[in-house]
Amino acid sequence: MKNDQWVIGLDYGTDSVRGVLVDAATGEELATAVFHYPRWRDQLYCEPTLHQYRQHPLDYVEGLESVIKNCIQQVGADRAKSRIRGIAIDTTGSTPVAVDARGRPLALLPGMEHNPNAMFVLWKDHTAVQEAAEINAFASRQSVDYLQYVGGVYSSEWFWAKLLHVLRVDEQVRQHIYSWVEHCDWMPFLLTGGDDVRAMKRSVCAAGHKALWAEAFGGLPPESFFAGVDPLLAGFRDRITGPVLTADRPAGRLCREWAERLGLSDDVVVAVGAFDAHIGAVGGQIEPYFLSKVMGTSTCDILVAPVADMQGKVIRGICGQVNGSVVPGMVGMEAGQSAFGDTYAWWRDVLLWPVRQVLPQVPGIQDAWVHGLTTTLQERLIPALSEEALRRDQAGLPLPLAVDWLNGRRTPFADQELKAALLGLDLGTDAVDIFRAWAEATCFGARSIVECFISQGVPVKGVIGLGGVARKSPYIMQLMADVLNMPLRIHKAEHTCASGAAMFAATAAGIYPEVEEAMQAMGQGFDREYIPVPARVDILQNRYQQYKKFGSFVEQFLHTH
């Protein structure tokens, strides 16, 4: 392999896009940059009470240019232009958008710039709960089970449910839409100068896990399936064309316009896109039967297994199993929790309510002082809660019992209408005890996913922890190891999703023949391991059984009232 070959990995997360410029020979990060979406930061086009979360395509385009230029500036423009060989991109998902026949998001067209339904519908948008229920009901009446490879339940977070909802509520979008595309497919299309959405290269990761594409069906379900759900979906299947490819394949080369804007050669290869957690699992050096758990605002849990081992196995209750969605040549399986870090952040914000709402009204209090206090408490509150929670856990002090469905349940068996609950409060319960209950419940939610795999004949040998919570919260990670009764290894890379994208960029550019070789050469390894504490394992096993009973009660109550 030639020396001085560099690649760029871009990771589009919920709040920001991060880029890394990496030496493909060693995996060394030469530069990194981050861009926080300004419109999202101001919560434009979002209505949390309606579970509506939209992102403007300009946030993504501006972030793309800012991050890459920033990385190039750090190493020098001339060196970058002569050495960068490939770019790969991961995004959240399912985060689709309505486009015209040229593949332009409708929010970039005159007159639609401020229409939320013309923007990207973020993964955690739950406005399509009713549409998902209708898809599930219609699918249950068919002779062919078109949901079998997505775990048996279609989610409101996914591709077709979101399309149907947008079509139903917005006449302007109905008049202008030609097709519906994922964020991870649109970014490579943009960089390669795509001008015909019918030729857009689609990610097997996105198509298989969220859009009902399956090798066993020869692609998507038939037109009669979608038109049968609702005539509004008629025709869209045949406008979602183009090859469905793994992320190690080239989508094309950097078009002249973007090469000039970024200061790069138009020989740079742009890889097919994929979802963040799947790419992050590669960045975290996933191994067969080790659950890669990307822990941020939510979790996405990834497992890979050899194709031969999965013959005849269809796993129910997860977010799909797709050949090549993670590592080409292996079956990728996805699960996850709809709220993880968001759970702790929500409780922190509840506790901060008087600081934000009452303190500014006190006469004589300056705004700058309130802002400084709020910022300090935001940074210190969860670490302080964690420290005291650990002390109380070690002392065996009582705590409430919680069910962690603050944003619905992703897996096992998606149900976004479920709500969280607390049991066992009294006048002695305080903020720390409730934090302990939420922390415990999120770890119990993780265990329910592991049990879903194991009960259906897919072993889980251990867990690989990735993401912000994995690196920043020793309390949660030790609790997770104790609840799962499994070792939990934390990957050394701070930006595993962007690092994984860089590995796919190196593979698509031909620097490595297979992504496994890129993982071995560019991976940074692990720097910490949490081992279960036997005394805690027994206690938590009993608590987990109570969690399951409480969860069953809550689920039944919500579905009957």
Side-chain angles (χ1 to χ4, degrees):
M1 186 182 77
K2 292 171 58 178
N3 292 327
D4 297 331
Q5 296 189 97
W6 297 352
V7 290
I8 293 174
L10 295 176
D11 168 37
Y12 278 87
T14 300
D15 300 321
S16 63
V17 54
R18 178 174 294 279
V20 293
L21 175 60
V22 176
D23 185 329
T26 64
E28 178 189 359
E29 289 187 6
L30 305 172
T32 183
V34 64
F35 177 90
H36 292 272
Y37 312 133
R39 298 162 188 82
W40 171 258
R41 179 193 58 215
D42 295 338
Q43 286 294 281
L44 302 180
Y45 318 115
C46 297
E47 293 288 348
T49 57
L50 302 176
H51 305 289
Q52 175 183 301
Y53 298 97
R54 309 294 164 87
Q55 292 188 327
H56 202 287
L58 287 179
D59 274 352
Y60 298 157
V61 176
E62 292 166 6
L64 170 72
E65 188 167 3
S66 172
V67 164
I68 292 181
K69 284 184 173 180
N70 194 323
C71 285
I72 289 172
Q73 184 179 29
Q74 293 175 48
V75 298
D78 292 339
R79 295 175 72 209
K81 187 170 184 178
S82 65
R83 299 181 186 188
I84 292 174
R85 297 285 181 265
I87 297 173
I89 298 170
D90 70 70
T91 72
T92 64
S94 180
T95 300
V97 68
V99 298
D100 66 6
R102 294 177 58 191
R104 297 175 298 181
L106 298 188
L108 295 181
L109 303 183
M112 303 186 74
E113 302 96 327
H114 301 292
N115 182 345
N117 294 313
M119 300 174 190
F120 285 88
V121 184
L122 191 63
W123 64 270
K124 69 177 184 177
D125 185 295
H126 289 166
T127 54
V129 169
Q130 178 59 38
E131 288 75 12
E134 292 176 29
I135 291 172
N136 285 314
F138 183 79
S140 69
R141 299 192 295 270
Q142 306 308 299
S143 58
V144 177
D145 183 4
Y146 291 112
L147 305 186
Q148 61 183 299
Y149 296 107
V150 294
V153 179
Y154 202 77
S155 170
S156 65
E157 295 181 349
W158 296 352
F159 189 86
W160 293 105
K162 289 176 172 176
L163 171 59
L164 181 55
H165 177 76
V166 167
L167 292 173
R168 283 176 170 175
V169 301
D170 199 303
E171 181 180 358
Q172 186 185 34
V173 171
R174 286 200 305 274
Q175 291 176 350
H176 291 86
I177 187 173
Y178 180 81
S179 190
W180 187 243
V181 305
E182 283 285 357
H183 183 195
C184 69
D185 294 331
W186 184 69
M187 298 306 304
F189 181 80
L190 175 71
L191 284 177
T192 56
D195 196 44
D196 181 356
V197 72
R198 294 170 298 179
M200 179 181 290
K201 294 179 173 65
R202 306 271 181 162
S203 160
V204 72
C205 177
H209 285 288
K210 312 300 181 187
L212 298 179
W213 184 96
E215 288 179 317
F217 306 144
L220 295 169
E223 172 70 9
S224 59
F225 177 84
F226 298 108
V229 172
D230 191 303
L232 285 174
L233 293 178
F236 280 95
R237 178 193 185 278
D238 295 331
R239 296 198 292 273
I240 298 175
T241 54
V244 177
L245 302 170
T246 52
D248 61 334
R249 300 285 299 279
R253 295 186 183 275
L254 201 59
C255 69
R256 179 171 297 180
E257 177 192 350
W258 273 100
E260 292 176 356
R261 285 177 69 170
L262 298 174
L264 294 175
S265 165
D266 57 11
D267 284 335
V268 172
V269 172
V270 180
V272 170
F275 289 148
D276 48 7
H278 303 71
I279 296 292
V282 170
Q285 297 175 272
I286 193 169
E287 304 171 34
Y289 299 117
F290 279 80
L291 189 69
S292 172
K293 195 168 184 70
V294 182
M295 291 174 272
T297 54
S298 64
T299 80
C300 197
D301 300 5
I302 305 295
L303 202 64
V304 297
V307 172
D309 291 2
M310 294 299 295
Q311 292 297 323
K313 291 182 180 178
V314 178
I315 310 305
R316 309 289 289 179
I318 63 172
C319 303
Q321 58 189 84
V322 182
N323 288 355
S325 66
V326 183
V327 177
M330 289 193 180
V331 176
M333 291 165 277
E334 177 192 341
Q337 295 167 260
S338 293
F340 194 78
D342 270 353
T343 301
Y344 319 134
W346 168 79
W347 184 236
R348 176 202 64 200
D349 291 344
V350 169
L351 298 178
L352 285 174
W353 185 87
V355 177
R356 289 172 168 157
Q357 303 299 325
V358 178
L359 200 57
Q361 301 176 28
V362 176
I365 299 293
Q366 296 182 356
D367 291 344
W369 188 86
V370 172
H371 176 75
L373 177 62
T374 302
T375 301
T376 299
L377 288 174
Q378 274 186 308
E379 294 172 352
R380 297 186 181 182
L381 197 50
I382 291 178
L385 290 168
S386 299
E387 182 179 348
E388 177 61 16
L390 176 61
R391 188 193 69 79
R392 295 186 189 187
D393 287 351
Q394 291 173 338
L397 299 180
L399 71 158
L401 187 66
V403 172
D404 56 316
W405 301 326
L406 280 167
N407 198 27
R409 184 179 64 205
R410 183 177 297 161
T411 45
F413 298 98
D415 188 342
Q416 303 307 149
E417 295 187 281
L418 294 177
K419 307 294 182 184
L422 278 168
L423 176 69
L425 304 180
D426 60 31
L427 292 176
T429 304
D430 64 9
V432 177
D433 288 333
I434 295 176
F435 174 76
R436 292 167 69 203
W438 292 129
E440 183 186 68
T442 55
C443 293
F444 287 157
R447 178 165 172 175
S448 67
I449 292 171
V450 170
E451 288 191 347
C452 181
F453 283 115
I454 293 174
S455 67
Q456 296 181 76
V458 179
V460 178
K461 297 179 180 178
V463 181
I464 296 171
L466 312 172
V469 178
R471 296 197 59 79
K472 296 176 183 177
S473 182
Y475 171 70
I476 301 294
M477 293 304 98
Q478 183 61 59
L479 182 58
M480 179 83 70
D482 294 342
V483 167
L484 297 178
N485 195 21
M486 289 181 180
L488 171 57
R489 289 181 291 165
I490 307 300
H491 198 268
K492 189 180 297 184
E494 186 175 353
H495 315 302
T496 48
C497 293
S499 297
M503 294 174 187
F504 277 104
T507 309
I511 299 171
Y512 294 100
E514 296 179 343
V515 76
E516 291 94 332
E517 290 190 29
M519 270 199 289
Q520 184 174 2
M522 300 170 68
Q524 298 180 30
F526 302 87
D527 61 2
R528 186 160 187 179
E529 184 172 21
Y530 294 90
I531 304 299
V533 177
R536 289 282 293 156
V537 168
D538 293 339
I539 294 170
L540 291 166
Q541 165 64 20
N542 292 331
R543 294 274 298 175
Y544 177 66
Q545 299 306 318
Q546 296 173 27
Y547 165 87
K548 290 201 296 184
K549 292 179 182 178
F550 185 31
S552 295
F553 169 79
V554 171
E555 186 170 2
Q556 182 178 12
F557 178 85
L558 290 172
H559 285 161
T560 56
H561 288 77

